[in-house]
Amino acid sequence: MADATAALELLECQADDELEQELQTNLAQLNCSLEEYELEQSLSGPCDKNGAYLIINAAIDDLDAREWALMLLKMYVGWGQKRGYRVKCVEDSLWEYVEINSAILEGGVNSLTWAIDGRYAYGYLKSETGVHLLKRTSPFNITRKQASSATVEVVPMYVEREIPQQDLELIILPRNLKSSNPVESWKRIVHIPTGISAISGEYRSPLQNRERALAVLTSKLFAIMQRQGVQQLADIQGDRLPTVLNQPIREYQFASDSPNQGKVLDLRTGIQTTAVAEVLDGKIDSFIKAGVLLKN
């Protein structure tokens, strides 16, 4: 602020194109900081300041949907890195298990889980939960659209809540045959009453993988409790579990061979842009801001 004030005083005395450009840059940065500050003031949820687990699911038998899930992952990773957040894989090797043993894939889906750790990551991203639809022009018929979908779920990190041991089932998954890690041990933990589960294989240590899977599971259950407005795990209503996750929230439309032609439309707020390639590169702040304001 002091730099901008000093530059303004100098401009009043003498015109200077370079100084004027510097002033405009400083003012733009100041406005951006003020907008972000005001947005963060509306993030008052119990875990809004926490990091976030980003979970993306796609149908196991739909290659286009699996490709779309990876594109979404790249988008969110790009967004997190641009903000200086710590971005780390928790689980994504299940993509390589499809031909080995499809039975281990929960609910017939492929799952990707990444940690996006930074101040307000959960508060910003929680409104991204829902179905993201991809519509591409068919290369064989320009009047026909090919549709794919992937489900995004965002839950908070660092949730502390005890889960009764009798309600948990630990499953050791087969070692990833494509991995060079001889001691790799994937852990899957299931919450028996709800069927909700989480997987981790990011560590060499089986114990660390178990602890990470339990942390993700706890976060999933907490997010469900928040959405359903209940205080106890036992009060979670199983018949309402898919409600939020099954709601389409955004459409990404572009030509089959070019994401530079098309648009991205948020189905809840009406926000849209034709800069599809930039969106897929992680420039999603306009959608996130609109989602935060809608939720609050």
Side-chain angles (χ1 to χ4, degrees):
M1 185 65 182
D3 291 341
T5 302
L8 183 61
E9 291 175 351
L10 287 173
L11 279 175
E12 290 177 349
C13 300
Q14 182 177 356
D16 187 315
D17 291 341
E18 184 176 339
L19 195 59
E20 183 175 359
Q21 181 61 45
E22 180 182 345
L23 175 61
Q24 291 176 350
T25 299
N26 289 336
L27 289 176
Q29 292 175 345
L30 179 60
N31 286 333
C32 184
S33 298
L34 287 174
E35 286 183 5
E36 186 163 316
Y37 174 78
E38 291 174 353
L39 194 61
E40 289 179 353
Q41 298 313 297
S42 67
L43 297 174
S44 56
C47 291
D48 281 355
K49 292 184 179 180
N50 294 16
Y53 290 118
L54 175 75
I55 304 154
I56 304 177
N57 289 325
I60 187 175
D61 56 353
D62 188 338
L63 293 178
D64 286 339
R66 290 164 59 190
E67 177 190 3
W68 173 228
L70 288 172
M71 292 172 69
L72 285 173
L73 174 63
K74 180 182 177 181
M75 180 182 77
Y76 288 115
V77 168
W79 175 83
Q81 290 175 338
K82 285 180 175 65
R83 295 188 62 86
Y85 288 163
R86 296 179 296 279
V87 180
K88 186 177 183 181
C89 171
V90 174
E91 171 264 314
D92 73 354
S93 291
L94 284 184
W95 295 86
E96 300 176 355
Y97 279 120
V98 176
E99 297 177 356
I100 301 172
N101 181 7
S102 61
I104 68 171
L105 299 174
E106 66 173 298
V109 298
N110 283 332
S111 175
L112 301 162
T113 303
W114 283 60
I116 301 181
D117 195 3
R119 185 175 172 83
Y120 285 108
Y122 175 64
Y124 284 127
L125 290 174
K126 64 181 180 181
S127 62
E128 293 293 293
T129 294
V131 178
H132 292 245
L133 303 170
L134 170 64
K135 294 185 176 180
R136 289 188 281 196
T137 303
S138 169
F140 307 106
N141 185 346
I142 61 173
T143 63
R144 181 173 175 267
K145 291 285 187 180
Q146 294 178 327
S148 301
S149 67
T151 300
V152 172
E153 181 179 8
V154 181
V155 299
M157 298 178 69
Y158 309 118
V159 173
E160 295 183 3
R161 180 172 289 272
E162 291 293 330
I163 303 176
Q165 287 299 311
Q166 64 269 23
D167 289 345
L168 298 174
E169 179 184 7
L170 176 64
I171 300 172
I172 301 176
L173 302 180
R175 186 172 71 85
N176 182 350
L177 300 183
K178 295 184 180 182
S179 173
S180 59
N181 181 2
V183 296
E184 182 184 74
S185 178
W186 286 72
K187 301 293 185 180
R188 176 184 181 189
I189 297 183
V190 182
H191 182 245
I192 299 171
T194 62
I196 301 297
S197 66
I199 302 171
S200 175
E202 66 176 302
Y203 299 109
R204 294 176 63 88
S205 164
L207 177 59
Q208 286 180 299
N209 283 330
R210 180 188 183 281
E211 291 176 347
R212 174 68 98 174
L214 181 58
V216 176
L217 176 62
T218 303
S219 295
K220 283 186 173 184
L221 293 171
F222 177 83
I224 292 170
M225 290 170 59
Q226 291 291 300
R227 291 197 292 265
Q228 295 190 359
V230 299
Q231 300 297 318
Q232 303 297 328
L233 287 173
D235 296 330
I236 291 178
Q237 301 176 40
D239 58 343
R240 292 176 55 196
L241 289 179
T243 304
V244 175
L245 295 181
N246 289 345
Q247 293 179 354
I249 67 167
R250 193 170 302 142
E251 285 187 358
Y252 306 72
Q253 305 175 18
F254 54 82
S256 182
D257 59 347
S258 175
N260 293 313
Q261 301 175 23
K263 70 175 180 178
V264 181
L265 170 65
D266 192 278
L267 302 174
R268 304 158 301 170
T269 63
I271 298 293
Q272 62 180 295
T273 178
T274 57
V276 182
E278 291 185 3
V279 169
L280 295 178
D281 192 43
K283 295 183 179 180
I284 55 175
D285 287 313
S286 60
F287 294 107
I288 287 178
K289 179 180 179 180
V292 169
L293 296 177
L294 181 68
K295 290 288 185 180
N296 292 283

